[in-house]
Amino acid sequence: MWMDLHSPLFRPRERTWRLNTTLLDDPLLRMEFSDRLKQYFQDNLDVEDVPVATVWEAHKAVIRGHFIGAATAIKRAKTAEVADLLHNIRRLESQTDTVTDASFQEATLLRRRLNEILDEKIRLDAIKAKCRFALSENRPSRLLAILLRQRRRLAYIAKIKLKNGLCSSLPADIMEEFASYYQSLYHIDAVEGPGSPPESLSTYLQSRVTSKLSSSARESLATPISIEELSTALKSMKNGRCPGPDGLPLEYYKCFGESLSPLLVRLFQSIDGSTHLHPRTLAATITVIPKPGKDHSDCKNYRPISLLNVDTKILAKILATRLMPYVSGLVKPDQVGFMPGREAKDATSRALNAITLAKRSGQALLLFSVDAEKAFDRVRWNYLFEVLHLMGLPDNYFHWIAALYHKPTARVRINGALSTEITIYNGTRQGCPLSPLLFALSLEPLLESVRSDADISGIRGRSREHVVSAYADDLLFMLTNTESSLPAALKTLAEFGEHSGFRINADKSEFLDINLHPIVTSRLKQRFPFAWCPTKMRYLGIWLTPSHSRLFELNYKPLLDSFRADLAGWNNKFISWLGRVNVIKMNLLPRLLYVFQTVPIPVPAEFFVTLRSLILKFIWPKGKPRVRYETLCRAKNRGGLALPDTKLYFYATQLTRVLDWSLTSAEKLWLDLEEELMGTPLW
């Protein structure tokens, strides 16, 4: 009797191919694949009317067939060998009456070979399953980090809220809702109407793009891409990352770099504005990651990460590496995100100094934290390209960027199934190495608009006025004369949004008032729909508060509580003694250093005593410590284990400010406020 069960919740997963990288470990197979690649390129390159982009994309299908054939042949051979080994082992074991040394030795060799095959299969299965265990538990590695994670949440999306407000758990409805949401998100012109016309956009940007590349920088960016650049990009990229839709990971490009690099460089050099990458090269798979603490039945509460093909990422990596040395000259120090030499502590120190200066002088100050809605995904390309042109990017470099944005497509992966193909018309894709720099460049006209607007006033330092601070799309306005400055700032944001696609999320934007008169506060609450923070505001992972006396309570005590909870949860895991020391180094220390750097306040001795006690209890979960704390903190060449001494790290992070005072870098705008507070030159 047969029984077929059909459920409306069932949706078959689409099988996607991914290269089994263990095939690359076999030198004979590597040689065979390399010869076939060379033969393919020899037969197909320079064929009349066949673009290089087509030859490149077609080679993926050819080599994929060879990989599948080799894997199938190996699997069949291993299966037959295992069956043959088992047959012979059973035959020898059945000869119980006439056991000889020769038969015993033969059986031993057969069992050893069988174990080798089975061990190899287990290793491959472990790689495929991404098993959650630490083979190198004593090393501060990715495996140890995986072991420390809390129980992995299921990535399954059980239900989604539809446009009519009702929730559905049917896979077809969930897939359709996500596909519709991202199609709308990546084609805002069709939903909200087209952006500003070219003449209006050019007029808007003319006075707001004030930084331009030098002639030497233009020449450097315009040079043809070389094999050396490609090799450097390959070396800097990490193995083990999930490939794009073509299934070819980075390991493939590194293994066959000698055969692939010349054609890949030729492909990049062929891009000239009229020649583009193949459409399948620009295809991507969007995987959605739920944002913590949000309603996961709403599509907008998922972060879309684009899994790009590795050849596309290589081009983006080369372009990002070229642009990095010059981007600081194009983006002024108000923007600290993704900029070399700038970091989050520059933004938080600036905010804390602004609060301190306002409290000391009695000046009314309003902190306005702006949350941008899907900022990376809403950037209009015509706006982005116009900004790049006005900043002086050379034609060759611009053609490479334009090629990355020439009709890219994507499919959304939901519960293992893939949606229909979506064409992308706007946004900088999260997962692309070049996207952070392009977004920072696209936001600079807004920051320049705020800086140059006489109606928007900020707090005055020693030599300049401080109005806005940015970490990527996290904007913090520091406004004085709030009843006139705030409407002007919102007008500037709205005007910028008309051209670029930028839009404020009113539900998540917040106010924190410093010394505002209650009447002013009441009027602002009536006029503006943003949330008011009564005592504290979260910015870049720390809490800002009008009273510095509460900074320790709001930032350091919760950190201590999170350490206590984490260490208690990790105590029951199978981590060795040396592994526990490395847990402190790789997990607790970075979190501690971030707060030390971003909230530079005096910390009472009790904090370090409590922290030291928690660390010792974790390292020695049973009984009293057997080695002194000071001995553990010594360097390894002095008989210790290099356990971090948290108090010394605290001193070190605070002493770096002395170096900042001495250098007085123009990149660190918080120094200007700090000098005004000190009343004397910091040096």
Side-chain angles (χ1 to χ4, degrees), residues 122-140:
I122 290 172
R123 282 194 295 271
L124 180 59
D125 290 341
I127 293 172
K128 287 181 178 179
K130 299 180 181 179
C131 292
R132 265 50 186 175
F133 57 82
L135 295 175
S136 307
E137 61 181 357
N138 290 335
R139 294 176 52 219

Side-chain angles (χ1 to χ4, degrees), residues 537-558:
M537 172 191 286
R538 195 162 184 83
Y539 178 61
L540 299 184
I542 71 163
W543 289 103
L544 301 177
T545 174
S547 173
H548 277 0
S549 61
R550 298 196 61 209
L551 285 175
F552 176 79
E553 172 193 346
L554 294 175
N555 292 288
Y556 282 84
K557 285 187 176 180

Side-chain angles (χ1 to χ4, degrees), residues 516-623:
L516 287 183
H517 194 280
I519 296 178
V520 175
T521 302
S522 177
R523 286 201 292 260
L524 293 177
K525 286 182 178 180
Q526 293 175 0
R527 291 180 59 188
F528 302 103
F530 307 113
W532 282 80
C533 303
T535 58
K536 60 181 181 179
M537 172 191 286
R538 195 162 184 83
Y539 178 61
L540 299 184
I542 71 163
W543 289 103
L544 301 177
T545 174
S547 173
H548 277 0
S549 61
R550 298 196 61 209
L551 285 175
F552 176 79
E553 172 193 346
L554 294 175
N555 292 288
Y556 282 84
K557 285 187 176 180
L559 183 67
L560 209 57
D561 293 338
S562 69
F563 285 173
R564 186 179 287 109
D566 288 343
L567 293 174
W570 298 335
N571 254 334
N572 297 325
K573 295 183 180 291
F574 294 101
I575 307 175
S576 70
W577 181 60
L578 294 175
R580 289 172 182 267
V581 174
N582 286 325
V583 166
I584 305 299
K585 293 180 185 178
M586 65 179 289
N587 191 295
L588 266 61
L589 183 60
R591 294 153 64 186
L592 192 63
L593 284 176
Y594 182 77
V595 178
F596 283 167
Q597 293 171 342
T598 53
V599 190
I601 61 171
V603 177
E606 291 81 3
F607 175 83
F608 296 103
V609 172
T610 306
L611 186 58
R612 174 174 169 169
S613 175
L614 290 174
I615 291 173
L616 287 175
K617 286 181 180 178
F618 176 68
I619 296 175
W620 308 96
K622 298 179 181 179

Side-chain angles (χ1 to χ4, degrees), residues 309-325:
N309 291 326
V310 173
D311 46 2
T312 305
K313 292 177 72 174
I314 291 172
L315 176 58
K317 182 68 174 179
I318 293 172
L319 299 181
T321 304
R322 281 195 179 187
L323 185 59
M324 187 66 75

Side-chain angles (χ1 to χ4, degrees), residues 278-303:
H278 193 277
R280 300 316 307 162
T281 305
L282 294 175
T285 301
I286 296 176
T287 180
V288 294
I289 299 176
K291 296 180 179 179
K294 305 293 183 181
D295 178 13
H296 296 157
S297 65
D298 197 333
C299 292
K300 68 180 182 181
N301 292 327
Y302 289 82
R303 182 172 288 108

Side-chain angles (χ1 to χ4, degrees), residues 213-223 326 394:
L213 287 169
S214 64
S215 57
S216 60
R218 287 171 54 86
E219 291 177 7
S220 176
L221 291 176
T223 55
Y326 310 109

Side-chain angles (χ1 to χ4, degrees), residues 233-253:
L234 283 174
K235 290 177 183 177
S236 64
M237 299 169 71
K238 295 182 179 179
N239 293 340
R241 298 292 189 264
C242 189
D246 62 16
L248 295 172
L250 181 64
E251 291 86 342
Y252 166 73
Y253 290 86

